Amino acid sequence: MAGEPYQPGRAIDTDIPARMDRLPWSGFHWTILIALGVTWILDGLEITLKGAVSSVLQEPQSLGLTSAEIGMIASFYITGAVIGALVFGFLTDRYGRRLFFFITLAVYLTGAFLTAFSWNLWSFALFRMVTGLGIGGEYAAINSTIDEIMPARVRGQVALAVNGSFWVGAALGAASTLVLLDPAVFALDIGWRVGFLIGATLSLFVLFMRRNLPESPRWLVMHGRLDEAEEVMAGIEGRIAATSGRPLEPVDPRLALSLHPRRSFRLRHILIAMFRTHARRSALGLVLMASQAFLYNAIFFTYALVLSNFFHVPSDRTGLYLLPFAAGNFLGVLVLGRLFDVVGRRAMISLTYSVSALLLVCTGWLFAAGHLGAVSLTLLWSVIFFFASAAASAAYLTISEVFPLETRALGIAIFFSFGTATGGILAPWIFGALIDTGSAWNIFYGYIFAAVLMLIAALTELLIGVDAERKPLEKVAAPLSARP
């Protein structure tokens, strides 16, 4: 159809999705993976750094904040992430993936840079909210692009590795605090500012890396930009063929899709597709996201309090205990990721959710009974999240591949927002209150509740999960464009 004028609603046949899925793994895919996936490293760095410098921000020589004010700042960040995901998610579906690679990262960069120059509570809270806006928008734009560009046969393991890279950033953030918060290296009010400036500088480098990334050919086709889609697709194929030194495999003409592209889709049509046509899938996404968010935020955002209150670990040393915790999380998605494409989504998601839940109950009992120390508890947390990290990343994978392409970014945004709000607001508050009781058994009961949520999610996946492994996205969920 190249060269023909666009006519809204006109039926076209395209083999671009099939051409994308038959591509061999190449340097092009590595470029996409690194340039887009690094966002989660920045997110892990940001969140860990903010948590680590909280005590410093309370010092009179710094901003002199109270514990309540620091908690309020975290709420501002979460609010920004939720708003950013929803607003940028809708715009990403409407105006394209590539544009928002730059807009959302630029918003994040601005927020991180300004945070380094905060002068009081409200300036810090406002700049953290701007940072959250960018991070929330990044989730929608990048998860949708990763799914649409990566070949179907490896889509699961790539998506899990990208989402799990958060923990690389978390480890870097924890390690950096040993220098940034050392008074022998930086003054009390300088080190934390340097940390946020480093985050802004890294994002500037990533912005430069993204300058040559293409628009998603799938998105272009679904929105009637056929000439552009063919041009981008031909460029990708030419680059991969030149790199590999051999011609690409031909595409079976039977895999062509018949579509009725539109320039845009009304929000009403998108929401109907998500919550009426695919109501069961929406219920699945809500359960998976809420349960993993509660588990993660329950432990990750209170682990320092448990270590200091029950094992008297100095606050400036809790970052060291995060390193094995982060390693367990990242190794989990790397080691188990391939199985989500080979064994299958339903089996692996239900397995990782249930195993992490059962391990949490056992660990909680050992902790409450006084059989664990700071090191042994941290090691057991690392084992739990070896499985839980794969489960959590699979939740993001699920919501990014089980809805039609035209709703993908907004779908990611809605469920990300729900999970972030649930875990970010309820879990830390509940477990903070349990820790304040001073009773390890009360914390154990909280762990049981988190485990029950994970087991409910595992059962839900078994009953209504979607077998999306190695299938083209258009087979997992028919595009809205497939109907006149």
Side-chain angles (χ1 to χ4, degrees):
M1 296 296 176
E4 296 184 16
Y6 170 72
Q7 299 175 13
R10 172 173 57 87
I12 61 105
D13 291 327
T14 180
D15 61 357
I16 281 183
R19 288 158 68 185
M20 291 294 299
D21 284 334
R22 71 64 155 96
L23 293 175
W25 186 265
S26 65
F28 165 75
H29 295 102
W30 278 115
T31 300
I32 296 292
L33 183 62
I34 294 171
L36 298 184
V38 74
T39 292
W40 279 257
I41 296 178
L42 291 175
D43 189 22
L45 177 67
E46 274 280 326
I47 291 178
T48 305
L49 184 60
K50 164 58 179 63
V53 304
S54 295
S55 59
V56 174
L57 296 176
Q58 293 180 296
E59 297 293 337
Q61 304 96 308
S62 184
L63 297 184
L65 305 179
T66 65
S67 296
E69 289 171 338
I70 289 175
M72 184 192 74
I73 289 170
S75 296
F76 267 74
Y77 179 85
I78 291 169
T79 301
V82 169
I83 295 173
L86 293 173
V87 172
F88 288 124
F90 174 73
L91 295 176
T92 297
D93 276 336
R94 191 175 184 86
Y95 297 108
R97 314 314 193 198
R98 186 175 187 276
L99 174 63
F100 289 92
F101 295 162
F102 300 97
I103 292 177
T104 55
L105 186 59
V107 172
Y108 164 82
L109 189 159
T110 301
F113 179 80
L114 292 176
T115 299
F117 296 95
S118 303
W119 61 89
N120 60 14
L121 166 65
W122 292 108
S123 63
F124 196 99
L126 175 62
F127 298 150
R128 290 300 293 163
M129 187 173 183
V130 173
T131 308
L133 284 169
I135 285 293
E138 286 273 284
Y139 274 104
I142 291 171
N143 262 320
S144 52
T145 304
I146 290 288
D147 275 0
E148 291 164 15
I149 288 184
M150 295 300 162
R153 64 186 180 278
V154 296
R155 187 174 63 238
Q157 56 193 294
V158 171
L160 262 66
V162 168
N163 284 289
S165 64
F166 172 96
W167 295 101
V168 176
L172 292 174
S176 68
T177 60
L178 300 177
V179 176
L180 295 175
L181 302 185
D182 186 347
V185 180
F186 291 104
L188 191 64
D189 195 39
I190 298 298
W192 65 269
R193 297 180 187 273
V194 172
F196 287 111
L197 282 176
I198 290 173
T201 302
L202 290 175
S203 60
L204 186 63
F205 175 71
V206 175
L207 201 62
F208 177 78
M209 288 175 59
R210 291 182 179 179
R211 72 194 188 283
N212 294 323
L213 295 184
E215 179 58 271
S216 164
R218 278 183 158 104
W219 184 90
L220 289 170
V221 168
M222 303 299 173
H223 289 77
R225 294 163 62 172
L226 310 180
D227 289 347
E228 293 177 65
E230 286 292 342
E231 181 181 354
V232 171
M233 191 70 238
I236 294 172
E237 290 173 326
R239 176 177 172 179
I240 293 177
T243 302
S244 64
R246 59 181 184 273
L248 299 175
E249 295 180 5
V251 176
D252 188 338
R254 293 174 297 178
L255 297 178
L257 297 174
S258 180
L259 302 173
H260 297 78
R262 304 179 213 175
R263 288 293 190 191
S264 61
F265 296 82
R266 292 182 180 179
L267 180 61
R268 177 172 63 88
H269 295 147
I270 293 174
L271 294 179
I272 287 174
M274 291 177 59
F275 295 106
R276 182 183 299 174
T277 307
H278 297 293
R280 285 164 61 95
R281 296 184 179 191
S282 293
L284 173 67
L286 289 173
V287 171
L288 293 179
M289 288 297 294
S291 57
Q292 66 84 23
F294 190 91
L295 173 69
Y296 257 97
N297 288 284
I299 293 182
F300 180 55
F301 285 108
T302 58
Y303 86 98
L305 293 176
V306 170
L307 292 175
S308 58
N309 287 8
F310 290 89
F311 301 108
H312 309 294
V313 175
S315 59
D316 61 348
R317 290 290 148 204
T318 55
L320 290 174
Y321 291 83
L322 180 62
L323 294 177
F325 183 72
N329 276 272
F330 189 54
L331 287 174
V333 295
L334 291 184
V335 173
L336 300 177
R338 185 171 180 273
L339 298 178
F340 285 78
D341 285 321
V342 176
V343 177
R345 306 284 199 264
R346 193 190 302 251
M348 288 305 300
I349 292 175
S350 57
L351 176 68
T352 51
Y353 268 79
S354 56
V355 169
S356 55
L358 296 175
L359 289 174
L360 178 61
V361 171
C362 295
T363 299
W365 183 85
L366 291 172
F367 164 66
H371 298 310
L372 300 177
V375 173
S376 54
L377 177 60
T378 301
L379 291 176
L380 284 174
W381 276 341
S382 300
V383 174
I384 292 170
F385 284 91
F386 176 87
F387 295 96
S389 63
S393 294
Y396 284 97
L397 170 64
T398 297
I399 62 173
S400 67
E401 67 180 359
V402 300
F403 296 107
L405 180 143
E406 298 89 344
T407 72
R408 181 160 295 121
L410 183 59
I412 294 169
I414 289 174
F415 293 107
F416 164 76
S417 299
F418 178 82
T420 299
T422 302
I425 295 172
L426 293 179
W429 178 76
I430 291 173
F431 275 81
L434 293 176
I435 291 170
D436 279 343
T437 67
S439 169
W441 285 105
N442 285 341
I443 298 173
F444 170 54
Y445 301 142
Y447 288 158
I448 290 179
F449 180 72
V452 169
L453 292 180
M454 294 291 284
L455 289 173
I456 291 173
L459 180 60
T460 303
E461 175 65 29
L462 277 176
L463 295 176
I464 61 174
V466 180
D467 298 316
E469 59 274 6
R470 301 184 302 280
K471 294 180 181 178
L473 291 171
E474 295 75 18
K475 293 293 184 182
V476 179
L480 299 183
S481 307
R483 297 185 294 273

